[in-house]
Each structure stands twice: as C-alpha cells, then as structure tokens.
Amino acid sequence: AEEVGGGDKEVVREYFNNDGFQRWRRIYGDGDDVNKVQMDIRVGHSKTVENVMKMLSDEGPLSGVTVCDAGCGTGCLSIPLAKEGAVVVASDISAAMVAEAEKQAREELLEGKDELPPGLVLPKFEVSDLESLKGKYDTVVCLDVLIHYPQNKADGMIAHLASLAENRLILSFAPKTFYYDLLKRVGELFPGPSKATRAYLHAEADVERALQKVGWKIRKRGLITTQFYFSRIVEAVPA
Ligand code: SAM
C-alpha cells in the first residue's frame, strides 16, 4: 500500500479503528456524551455537511446522481445524499467507520421496513483507502480527510479524486490561516503519538494549484468556523 507521510496511513487506520472511532462516533452522533470542545466540533461539522448538501443540490436534483463519498466516516454526508436519491458509494480506510456508517444508513433510510421508499438506494459501503478507489462518478466528495495528509501527499490525493469525478469534486480542509494553536490544544482528536503534529492544515492556494495542475478550477467556496472547528469547502469543476 502507498505510504502517507512515512507510515502515517497505518497510524491513521489504527486510530480510526480504535480510539478515534469511539471519539468521532460520539462527535458525529447526537448523544450528550461529548465535552464542550467536541460539541463545538459537532456543530461546525454539521454546518459543513449542510453547506455541502446545499452546494450539491443548488446545481439540480440529486436523484440518480452518482456520488463517491471518500473517507465517509460514520456516513454524515452519505445518508442525507441517499435520502435525496443520490446513488452513493461510501468508503473509508477504517472498517469500524464503514460498519457504523452502514448501520446508521440502514436505520435511517429503512426506518424498520424491509424496503426503501421508491427512488432511494442504500449507499454501497466499502473499506478502502481513497488512493485505491476506482471508477467514475458524477460527483466526488471528500470531507475533512485532508487533515491527515501533508501537502506533498495531498496533491496526489487531489489528483486521484479528480480522476474519479466526471463533473465535480468537493473537498473540505482545515485552512492554514486559522489558529493552529487551537488545533494543537485538541491534539487528542488526531492519530499518532505526537498527535497534534499529525494534523495537517492546507493553504487554499496550494489546494487550488493541485486542482489546476490536473485541469480543474474552483467554482464555489465556503468557510465554516466555530470556536474549535475550521473548514474551507471548495467545489471544483473541469476547467
Ligand atoms: N468525511 C466524514 C465526515 O465528514 O463526516 C469523516 C471525516 S473524519 C474527520 C476523517 C475520516 O477519514 C475518518 O473516518 C478516517 O478513517 C478517514 N480517512 C483518513 N485517511 C484516509 C484514507 N487515506 N483513505 C480513506 N479514508 C481515510
């Protein structure tokens, strides 16, 4: 398997199958078993999901649109997409995350019935790192995953995601202009022994350059900030 930052990828996988899985499942859930920082991140992240859903549906109905949700986590985006009739392939490097996403998708979409309402399909769930993803999708989305990639690896990752997308690619990442110290203080949210140093922020210009290199341009931008959560959202299309 390809390496991210010299073994980072194994560390990331291990983290999101264990401590990170427990932690992020709570953050992305709706229980009250979270602390203040985690609650703040929950609110910020749900705004990101809302913003992305709006960006996507502003371009037309999602019914029948194929979407690759790369690094799907517990399915926070895949599930609302499927509710809009999108045909979703949801994947994550963590088997624990994928199992949780599938469980939640079944609960929320089937609501105890045997069949889905007409026009809806359950997302297809796969355990896969995003470098191994293949195929073509109308839309590729990758939310809050770049934080695990140093910029020199991020370029390849962005190029690969763009190669899977026919019409649009949506990425969200922690922008470099924001308070790095804050992230450091919540180092427990990141994998690895020196956790805070494993959180990579990205300059918007670097992401834009990586997109341009493979013939894509940014069409829309969004920015979500709360006290502890910062996310730049970009929607790119073929130039
Ligand atoms: N995209 C989801 C969301 O916004 O709800 C989850 C975001 S979570 C902070 C980051 C996710 O990226 C984790 O579930 C982790 O397992 C996954 N991840 C990290 N590196 C990955 C890689 N190389 N390939 C696929 N998934 C990866």
Side-chain angles (χ1 to χ4, degrees), residues 80-237:
L81 281 172
K83 284 183 177 167
E84 292 298 316
V87 179
V88 182
V89 174
S91 57
D92 198 283
I93 196 172
S94 155
M97 285 290 187
V98 173
E100 179 66 21
E102 179 152 27
K103 176 176 152 251
Q104 291 192 18
R106 288 183 165 278
E107 280 171 13
E108 285 199 41
L109 291 158
L110 285 165
E111 294 178 310
K113 304 192 186 76
D114 292 336
E115 274 179 54
L116 288 180
L120 301 196
V121 274
L122 274 178
K124 188 166 163 243
F125 291 97
E126 294 175 357
V127 180
S128 170
D129 61 31
L130 53 85
E131 291 79 2
S132 310
L133 293 173
K134 295 197 173 62
K136 283 279 179 196
Y137 302 87
D138 177 87
T139 301
V140 175
V141 188
C142 185
L143 300 188
D144 294 2
V145 179
L146 264 168
I147 193 141
H148 306 298
Y149 286 72
Q151 188 61 44
N152 65 336
K153 302 284 172 185
D155 281 30
M157 178 252 208
I158 290 170
H160 183 60
L161 291 176
S163 79
L164 305 173
E166 266 155 359
N167 288 317
R168 60 192 166 184
L169 169 61
I170 293 190
L171 297 169
S172 74
F173 55 93
K176 213 169 206 163
T177 45
F178 283 86
Y179 320 93
Y180 192 54
D181 284 350
L182 273 180
L183 282 170
K184 277 197 197 291
R185 268 185 262 156
V186 287
E188 64 163 22
L189 298 165
F190 305 105
S194 57
K195 294 168 189 299
T197 58
R198 300 229 185 216
Y200 301 102
L201 308 194
H202 298 276
E204 193 173 341
D206 290 338
V207 171
E208 190 154 18
R209 213 171 297 123
L211 286 163
Q212 278 165 356
K213 256 201 286 183
V214 291
W216 286 63
K217 63 166 192 248
I218 295 178
R219 169 167 77 179
K220 287 184 207 158
R221 295 167 212 258
L223 180 66
I224 306 294
T225 66
T226 61
Q227 234 185 321
F228 294 97
Y229 177 92
F230 318 104
S231 198
R232 167 61 83 191
I233 305 167
V234 298
E235 183 194 50
V237 294

Side-chain angles (χ1 to χ4, degrees), residues 40-65:
D40 177 86
I41 293 170
R42 177 189 286 176
V43 170
H45 175 262
S46 62
K47 287 186 189 172
T48 294
V49 170
E50 262 173 52
N51 197 300
V52 168
M53 285 300 295
K54 184 168 187 320
M55 268 188 186
L56 288 172
S57 46
D58 276 355
E59 298 300 319
L62 291 170
S63 181
V65 174

